[in-house]
Amino acid sequence: MQNKTKKRKINGTSAINEALLQAGKKNKNVIYFGEGINDPSSFYGTTKNLMKNFGKSRVIEMPLSENGIVGIAIGAAMRGKVPIINLHRVEFALLAIEQIFNNAAKMFFISDGAHKVPLVIRLVIGRGWGQGPEHSQSLENIFSSIPGLKVLIPSFAEDFKGMLLSAIEDKNPTIIIEHRWCHYTYSMVPKKYFKNQISSPKIIKKGQHFTVVAASYHIYEALLAHDILNKIGIKIEVIDLRVSRPLNIKKITNSLKKTRNLITIDLGFKKYGIGSEIISQLVENDSKIFKSNPIRLG
């Protein structure tokens, strides 16, 4: 019999599916809302076997009304349930923006902590067939600007599972931005139920010449650049942002004290992006931290 603590190499899709199944078995208050949640495609394979394990009372097919879905989920969360919502593309959440920004995010504050909203909203980004300009955006900067929300941007399968389980146990609303191409990337993931921290970035590769801050699929591009530049003696430090709200720049600051050079890579638009906010905070804290002008990509 396989040791449950042992790590195996699985992809992001399997890691998410495993987290959803383990969370539901651990906590009977976990419920699942979605459009096409029981469709044969099973939301890129991530919701596979949920209906088989938990039935229609906990795995609920919802109408095409994102505003209604999120509103119902907020009410259920305030009454003790832990809803996990699949809204497919990130743009679909725009139809529920008032519920997310004004109700889910603010409920804890306007009730002086009396009401909590343990709600997880999963949103997919990344271009693919037939999506065009309306379904290929990355809007994490919009959600990251709202107090009361946590915004997670996992890159590796281990974080897909561990950060999702942490979000499910959190007492307030969390947005998880999933890049569809990261669903198919593999890494070592524990079989057991485990949580990864959802409070700060992580240094993936160490270097001394340049600091590169990226997230999600762009981490893989940064790692490719690391290997290429390493061959000609340029050592870049690659930091996986992981969390865009709360934005914790301590590790980025410490890295910059060493490298003095920075490149930020946004998943979405460069202007008004997460990279802009990172650079602004760095300059506010120490205007002389840069040896050269920082570079934003997006």
Side-chain angles (χ1 to χ4, degrees), residues 18 22 157-165 190-192 194:
E18 196 167 81
Q22 289 181 353
E158 182 177 357
D159 268 346
F160 270 118
K161 181 177 178 179
M163 292 174 74
L164 175 54
L165 290 173
K191 186 175 182 180
K192 67 177 182 178
F194 73 97

Side-chain angles (χ1 to χ4, degrees), residues 40-91:
S41 65
S42 59
F43 196 69
Y44 302 96
T46 62
T47 61
K48 185 178 179 180
N49 291 326
L50 290 184
M51 185 69 76
K52 179 180 177 181
N53 279 271
F54 305 120
K56 291 183 178 179
S57 64
R58 292 178 64 189
V59 183
I60 304 168
E61 179 69 40
M62 302 298 282
L64 296 179
S65 175
E66 289 78 7
N67 198 51
I69 294 171
V70 176
I72 292 167
I74 291 169
M78 291 171 63
R79 297 290 291 173
K81 298 297 183 181
V82 183
I84 303 170
I85 302 177
N86 307 324
L87 289 183
H88 289 265
R89 306 300 304 182
V90 68
E91 290 87 356

Side-chain angles (χ1 to χ4, degrees), residues 94-153:
L94 299 179
L95 297 167
I97 212 79
E98 197 273 337
Q99 292 282 14
I100 296 169
F101 286 7
N102 279 340
N103 294 325
K106 293 179 174 60
M107 191 58 66
F108 178 85
F109 301 104
I110 64 175
S111 69
D112 195 24
H115 295 302
K116 298 177 178 61
V117 184
L119 168 67
V120 177
I121 302 176
R122 298 177 51 217
L123 305 174
V124 172
I125 61 171
R127 65 187 184 276
W129 179 87
Q131 278 152 1
E134 293 183 354
H135 291 158
S136 59
Q137 299 168 96
S138 188
L139 304 175
E140 66 282 345
N141 57 323
I142 295 176
F143 296 99
S144 299
S145 67
I146 303 301
L149 296 178
K150 286 188 176 69
V151 182
L152 312 183
I153 314 175

Side-chain angles (χ1 to χ4, degrees), residues 165-216:
L165 290 173
S166 292
I168 292 168
E169 290 197 13
D170 198 278
K171 298 302 181 185
N172 282 294
T174 302
I175 306 291
I176 301 183
I177 306 290
E178 301 174 11
H179 198 295
R180 60 181 297 174
W181 294 357
C182 291
H183 284 162
Y184 309 115
T185 61
Y186 285 77
S187 66
M188 301 301 291
V189 182
K191 186 175 182 180
K192 67 177 182 178
Y193 184 105
F194 73 97
K195 296 186 293 180
N196 277 0
Q197 59 89 2
I198 52 174
S199 59
S200 67
K202 184 177 181 180
I203 297 174
I204 305 299
K205 292 286 186 180
K206 292 190 175 182
Q208 67 265 22
H209 295 134
F210 246 98
T211 298
V212 177
V213 180
S216 189

